[in-house]
Amino acid sequence: MTWQANITPPRNLPEFLPGWVWLVGAGPGDPGLMTLHGVNALAQADVIVYDALVDTQILDMARPEAERIYAGKRGGKPSPTQRSISERLIDLAKEGRRVLRLKGGDPFVFGRGGEEALALVDAGIPFRVVPGVTAGIGGMAYAGIPATHREANSAVTFVTGHSVTGDVPDNLDWQALAKGAPVLIFYMAIKHIGEISRRLRDGGRPADEPVALIASATTPDQKVVTCTLETMEEAAKQVAPPAIVAIGPVVELRKQLDWLSALPTSAE
Ligand code: SAH
C-alpha cells in the first residue's frame, strides 16, 4: 500500500454544477486507470447512472450519500433501452441533480456516449465529457502488446464485431480492412469470431497471422490467449466476454513485453 493520503489534487478541477450531466469513462476495469476528472466527478455527484462493466471499487469512491442507479444488463434480463437511459439522465438533471453517467472504458468509443450526448443537447441539458482509457488501449498495454510499434504498423484500427442488429457489421468494407489495416482491435467480437476470421482471410489476410484474445483486461481475472487468425474461433472457447481481439504483427511482442505476468503476485 503506497497511497499517499496527502496528495494534493491539481487546482482548478471543475465544480460539478446542479442540473449538469457528466459523461465519464471509468476505464476498462482497474480502478487505477480512472482519471482525476473521473474521481473529481465521483466526489461531487448526487446520482450515478452506471453500466455493467464498471468496477465496484470505482463506485466505492463516490460520496456515500450519492444515489446509484444500475443501467446495464443483469441476470439475463434485457438492458434498459438506450432511449430510456437518455430520458432518465434528462429527468434527473431537470430535478437539479448533479448526474454522473459512468461508462466502461471511454464514453465515446463503442459506448453510445454520443447518442446520450445528442439527447442531452436536444433537451437543452448542459454536459461535460470525461474520456477514459478504452479497453482496446488499456487491454493491449496490460497484455504487453504495443498498439503501434515502429516498423510493425503505422496505423491501428478499432472495429466492432457486433452491429446494431446483433450481426457482424455489413457496413464495413472487410476487403479494405483486411488489406489496409495492419493492426485490428476488435470489440464485442467473441460471438461472431468465426465469421470475422473467415471474412479477414477471404480478404487476403494470412491464416497464420498472430492474434491475442484479451478477456477481462486490467482486472484480476485478466486472461490472454494467443493464437492465429485461423485458430481464433477454437481459441475463443477458452475466454469469456468482455474481451478484445487484437490481430497483427504487434501481438508477437507480448513474448518479450508481458510485464504483468512477470510481476511478483503481491505487486499486482
Ligand atoms: N466504451 C467501452 C467499450 C464498450 S463496448 C470502451 O471504451 O472500452 C463493450 C466491449 O468493450 C466488450 O464487448 C469488449 O470487447 C470491450 N471491453 C470492455 N471492457 C473490457 C475489458 N475489461 N477487457 C476486455 N474487453 C473489454
Side-chain angles (χ1 to χ4, degrees), residues 137-149:
I137 292 297
M140 293 284 276
Y142 273 51
I145 305 172
T148 71
H149 189 67

Side-chain angles (χ1 to χ4, degrees), residues 28 53 104-106 109-111 134-135 186-188 214-217 219 242-244:
L53 294 173
D106 182 280
V109 179
F110 302 131
T134 189
F186 277 91
Y187 291 61
M188 297 175 272
I214 310 169
S216 298
T219 77
I244 55 161

Side-chain angles (χ1 to χ4, degrees), residues 8-168:
T8 313
R11 285 183 298 279
N12 302 330
L13 284 177
E15 185 186 346
F16 204 153
L17 295 172
W20 279 63
V21 175
W22 286 11
L23 289 169
V24 176
D30 181 349
L33 295 176
M34 182 87 171
T35 63
L36 286 176
H37 271 303
V39 176
N40 179 49
L42 284 163
Q44 300 181 69
D46 299 314
V47 50
I48 302 164
V49 183
Y50 65 99
D51 278 348
L53 294 173
V54 174
D55 192 283
T56 52
Q57 290 183 79
I58 289 176
L59 288 173
D60 288 346
M61 288 192 279
R63 293 193 304 132
E65 57 275 32
E67 184 185 352
R68 290 153 173 78
I69 299 175
Y70 180 73
K73 290 193 179 102
R74 187 170 272 169
K77 286 190 199 145
S79 51
T81 62
Q82 193 56 50
R83 202 163 139 218
S84 73
I85 295 173
S86 297
E87 278 166 7
R88 192 90 186 253
L89 298 176
I90 292 163
D91 291 345
L92 291 164
K94 283 188 175 158
E95 288 168 16
R97 305 226 259 165
R98 299 168 182 86
V99 186
L100 169 49
R101 175 69 174 118
L102 193 58
K103 300 171 87 73
D106 182 280
F108 278 0
V109 179
F110 302 131
R112 309 191 73 173
E115 285 159 73
E116 292 174 18
L118 284 170
L120 296 172
V121 169
D122 279 348
I125 305 288
F127 68 97
R128 165 183 279 269
V129 180
V130 177
V133 176
T134 189
I137 292 297
M140 293 284 276
Y142 273 51
I145 305 172
T148 71
H149 189 67
R150 208 151 67 108
E151 285 153 25
N153 63 315
S154 324
V156 58
T157 307
F158 292 154
V159 192
T160 174
H162 206 257
S163 69
V164 186
T165 58
D167 299 324
V168 177

